[in-house]
Amino acid sequence: MILQNITTGLFLTITSLAFAQNSKQMSELIQNEFQLADKQYKKLMKSIPQDKMPQSYNASIDKVTTKDITWWCSGFYPGSLWMIYEQTGDPEIRKEAEKRLQLIEPNKTFTRDHDLGFMMFTSFGNAYRITKNPIYKDIILTSAESLSTRFRPGMQAILSWDKMADFKGPVIIDNMMNLEMLNWAAQNGGNKKLEEIAIAHANTTMKNHFRSDYSSYHVIDYNVNTGEVFGKKTFQGYSDSSAWARGQGWALYGYTMMYRFTKNKAYLDQARHIAKFILNNPNLPEDKIPFWDFNDPKIPEVPRDASAAAIIASALLELGQYVKADERKNYVDNARQMIVSLSGDHYQAKAGTNGGFLLMHSTGGLPLHSEIDVPLIYADYYFLEALKRYKDWYLQ
Ligand code: GLY
């Protein structure tokens, strides 16, 4: 008994020491990352025309590539700037963030695709969280109303794209992410119907988008009027039956976020199942940065997707908030490994390089021959979010 007590005490001391060491290392890592991000984004901001948003960096010609404001990623740059400003208090970063918000504000009435949540909540959502400026809140509420016009009662889901390939009523797993803005708006002065739409979409997606192992299809093609499923397909993945890595990340993040707003246990369980699929997948490499698709037969000779790792890490950290200690430890340990890998030499650019982006080695659309093994603005965004979440929730 005494021996058992001594052994248990020793174990606890070692565990606590390891925890303290981890905490110290992570605290330093996170602080360094935000300092680096501050420097890098001051470099990045110099390369972006006044009317565009950063997309990626072409190393062979040393050029930052940019897109128009209606591009689905236009919110990630201002959102990242706000998160950097929050940690460093750098006024130059805030000034750029405010300037870029002004530029994308007209998107609040954009209804041509489903990506308004990505565009307006990663940007104005962070801005409002940090400043509590009521103008930002109004913009979010208007954006949520605009997004809700894409809800199709016949299929009980938000239509992702109007016209894309041969799809008739496409809904992509990515669309789960846009529900965050609807839920938030409904709980912050907006119409309650916005939450009903989010719930309907999440339920329809839970019914049709998942295989028995909880991996997700990319695109479900619906009859918009009846909800009949015409096909289960991919657009950006290896094949219709494969698990496109970023799509698994969107699914994990999406159901964890749905649980945050609704406290419906079905969403929590869905997120846990998805986490299990990802974390137990034999094709998840040791450094925990997924290959671009879990089922590409050429693994390991295929590109990674650092953006998928950043999204998954951020989602796991939130999922860890909703479960008991043992399960939390698994999620947080895995997320930490992802963060440590992403901040290591292989994935992270040296200061002053990479056009100013933080991370390298993301893959946007391999089958589309687009954005392969490059920096991507949303990889940086979700990486910064994961760092902030780790600091806020696991370093106390
Ligand atoms: N939402 C588009 C993508 O993940 O590439």
Side-chain angles (χ1 to χ4, degrees):
M1 185 65 178
I2 293 174
L3 189 64
Q4 194 191 353
N5 280 345
I6 293 171
T7 319
T8 311
L10 205 61
F11 174 75
L12 282 176
T13 311
I14 291 168
T15 314
S16 319
L17 274 177
F19 179 76
Q21 211 173 14
N22 252 339
S23 290
K24 190 164 176 291
Q25 281 168 357
M26 286 306 285
S27 170
E28 281 171 12
L29 181 151
I30 292 167
Q31 205 182 351
N32 290 341
E33 286 302 314
F34 276 106
Q35 292 301 332
L36 176 67
D38 193 279
K39 282 204 198 88
Q40 286 293 83
Y41 272 57
K42 279 185 185 157
K43 176 180 169 66
L44 180 60
M45 70 174 76
K46 294 195 177 74
S47 326
I48 311 164
Q50 294 305 311
D51 60 341
K52 302 277 188 208
M53 286 293 179
Q55 173 198 17
S56 183
Y57 171 65
N58 185 338
S60 64
I61 51 169
D62 185 23
K63 196 171 173 2
V64 170
T65 58
T66 59
K67 292 273 197 183
D68 291 337
I69 63 157
T70 54
W71 176 52
W72 75 276
C73 298
S74 61
F76 293 120
Y77 176 54
S80 295
L81 289 165
W82 279 111
M83 285 193 282
I84 297 167
Y85 167 74
E86 186 179 23
Q87 302 296 328
T88 66
D90 187 334
E92 197 180 332
I93 294 282
R94 179 172 177 152
K95 198 164 154 230
E96 173 75 354
E98 286 168 344
K99 194 171 92 184
R100 296 294 164 172
L101 286 189
Q102 266 181 24
L103 181 64
I104 62 169
E105 184 185 337
N107 282 343
K108 67 188 177 190
T109 52
F110 178 86
T111 56
R112 287 206 306 270
D113 65 43
H114 70 144
D115 285 321
L116 214 57
F118 279 120
M119 289 148 75
M120 302 307 269
F121 200 64
T122 60
S123 52
F124 287 94
N126 277 299
Y128 181 71
R129 183 177 60 73
I130 293 166
T131 66
K132 296 287 177 280
N133 181 341
I135 295 172
Y136 295 157
K137 184 175 177 177
D138 276 357
I139 292 168
I140 298 169
L141 297 186
T142 304
S143 305
E145 285 294 331
S146 301
L147 175 57
S148 74
T149 65
R150 297 190 63 81
F151 183 67
R152 299 293 181 266
M155 62 175 187
Q156 286 292 295
I158 295 165
L159 185 64
S160 291
W161 303 313
D162 288 343
K163 267 197 184 318
M164 188 66 84
D166 292 330
F167 301 126
K168 294 179 184 63
V171 176
I172 63 177
I173 189 65
D174 322 29
N175 206 336
M176 284 300 300
M177 299 297 284
N178 294 305
L179 308 182
E180 187 171 6
M181 181 167 73
L182 298 182
N183 285 313
W184 187 91
Q187 294 186 9
N188 287 275
N191 195 320
K192 290 288 165 218
K193 92 174 173 219
L194 298 169
E195 186 179 59
E196 287 163 23
I197 288 174
I199 290 171
H201 184 100
N203 291 345
T204 302
T205 300
M206 199 149 74
K207 190 166 83 189
N208 295 323
H209 251 91
F210 291 88
R211 308 182 182 99
S212 56
D213 62 0
Y214 293 94
S215 67
S216 165
Y217 292 97
H218 184 204
V219 189
I220 303 298
D221 195 19
Y222 289 98
N223 179 327
V224 177
N225 300 316
T226 65
E228 179 195 348
V229 173
F230 288 137
K232 302 193 172 198
K233 304 279 182 188
T234 198
F235 186 64
Q236 278 161 273
Y238 175 78
S239 72
D240 291 346
S241 59
S242 75
W244 173 51
R246 198 163 53 259
Q248 313 314 302
W250 295 143
L252 176 66
Y253 195 119
Y255 282 97
T256 306
M257 172 273 297
M258 282 305 298
Y259 179 72
R260 181 202 319 157
F261 285 103
T262 63
K263 297 291 172 241
N264 179 343
K265 181 140 182 312
Y267 299 144
L268 178 62
D269 288 343
Q270 186 75 5
R272 287 164 140 162
H273 287 307
I274 300 165
K276 201 165 171 190
F277 172 81
I278 295 170
L279 299 178
N280 294 351
N281 196 295
N283 281 341
L284 182 67
E286 231 169 78
D287 68 2
K288 309 281 177 190
I289 310 300
F291 295 101
W292 77 282
D293 188 304
F294 283 101
N295 301 109
D296 186 332
K298 294 211 187 73
I299 285 175
E301 305 304 327
V302 300
R304 301 293 185 96
D305 183 7
S307 78
I311 295 157
I312 292 166
S314 189
L316 288 172
L317 292 174
E318 179 170 12
L319 188 54
Q321 293 286 291
Y322 307 138
V323 295
K324 296 216 175 89
D326 278 4
E327 200 178 340
R328 176 181 312 132
K329 184 174 175 341
N330 181 32
Y331 299 148
V332 176
D333 283 353
N334 276 284
R336 186 171 52 247
Q337 282 181 51
M338 289 172 192
I339 289 173
V340 169
S341 293
L342 290 174
S343 55
D345 284 349
H346 185 68
Y347 294 98
Q348 178 143 92
K350 294 257 175 303
T353 68
N354 208 30
F357 289 89
L358 276 177
L359 299 180
M360 307 181 280
H361 304 304
S362 288
T363 298
L366 192 136
L368 313 171
H369 309 289
S370 164
E371 303 173 330
I372 299 167
D373 197 15
V374 291
L376 285 173
I377 190 68
Y378 48 92
D380 283 10
Y381 175 88
Y382 288 103
F383 178 56
L384 292 170
E385 186 184 73
L387 294 170
K388 175 187 156 42
R389 287 179 165 190
Y390 200 98
K391 181 180 168 189
D392 288 354
W393 296 339
Y394 300 104
L395 283 185
Q396 303 311 326

